Amino acid sequence: MMDKCGKVQQKVSCVFETEILNEPSNKRQFQGYKVVASDVLKNTALLSDVTRSIATEKLDGTCVFIAEFKGRPWLWARLDRKPNKAGDKRFKQYRSSLQKWEQSSQDLPKPSLEWDIEKDFKQVPEHWIPASDVPIVNGHPQPDQNGHTPGMLGGEGSMHSCKEKFEVEKSLIVLLM
């Protein structure tokens, strides 16, 4: 079914150019600046004919995957696998080296990072699966350019194991038919 629909399992970039404001962030307590969208459309958005689109609001927590779990329709919650402290430190060092390389004459070899998936990443809960387009190398889902491995969490640990599950399941049956 996912092949028939317009699946989106990666983060979608903002269509507007971003600006940095010299004032404290509302989202991050210790960040002394804000990153906000401007009124200027990015060139990539213009090239994709975004001006003919209808904007809708995306609410936090609404990224779900509809699939069976133990023979029943289920809403799987989005859960990215992220680096642990040691992996995050290595990733930040890599990103810093890459940024310096990009700003230099690029005479030296381009920095690279080889992840050790088992050592560099946090464990995922039972019933976690990688998103459908995540590359798998040697049996391990690979992180994206941001160091995250997009995935979904189903079952009792997912967001729809609560009291509204019955109504959700009735709706899913209609959607899946």
Side-chain angles (χ1 to χ4, degrees):
M1 179 170 170
M2 285 297 291
D3 291 335
K4 295 178 186 174
C5 299
K7 61 182 177 183
V8 176
Q9 292 194 32
Q10 299 288 333
K11 291 190 182 268
V12 177
S13 294
C14 181
V15 297
F16 297 100
E17 296 288 345
T18 55
E19 296 176 347
I20 297 176
L21 302 180
N22 219 357
E23 56 187 74
S25 170
N26 294 335
K27 292 182 178 182
R28 293 171 187 87
Q29 185 177 5
F30 300 106
Q31 183 173 302
Y33 60 91
K34 281 185 185 179
V35 179
V36 297
S38 70
D39 293 335
V40 179
L41 285 170
K42 288 182 180 177
N43 285 334
T44 53
L46 291 170
L47 292 172
S48 69
D49 205 19
V50 73
T51 55
R52 293 178 39 145
S53 300
I54 299 171
T56 60
E57 183 178 4
K58 196 283 188 192
L59 303 174
D60 281 347
T62 58
C63 181
V64 296
F65 175 61
I66 302 170
E68 280 192 13
F69 177 76
K70 294 185 180 180
R72 301 186 71 183
W74 205 271
L75 286 181
W76 294 59
R78 170 73 181 255
L79 178 68
D80 289 3
R81 185 178 194 187
K82 298 178 181 176
N84 57 27
K85 284 185 180 185
D88 191 48
K89 183 178 179 181
R90 288 184 58 231
F91 184 64
K92 286 178 180 173
Q93 289 171 341
Y94 159 72
R95 296 289 286 199
S96 176
S97 298
L98 183 62
Q99 186 177 18
K100 288 176 186 171
W101 179 84
E102 288 171 343
Q103 294 170 351
S104 72
S105 61
Q106 301 178 359
D107 293 336
L108 299 173
K110 183 177 181 178
S112 64
L113 173 67
E114 193 158 325
W115 290 108
D116 183 332
I117 302 298
E118 293 178 16
K119 291 182 181 176
D120 290 334
F121 286 84
K122 296 176 184 176
Q123 293 298 310
V124 290
E126 184 180 17
H127 309 302
W128 179 89
I129 58 171
S132 63
D133 291 337
V134 169
I136 309 294
V137 176
N138 297 327
H140 296 289
Q142 299 299 298
D144 61 16
Q145 71 276 9
N146 299 312
H148 297 186
T149 307
M152 309 307 283
L153 178 63
E156 297 305 316
S158 73
M159 60 194 243
H160 289 290
S161 60
C162 50
K163 65 181 181 180
E164 74 264 6
K165 186 173 105 180
F166 179 72
E167 290 300 318
V168 167
E169 288 176 350
K170 287 194 317 189
S171 301
L172 287 177
I173 291 167
V174 172
L175 282 171
L176 295 172
M177 292 179 103

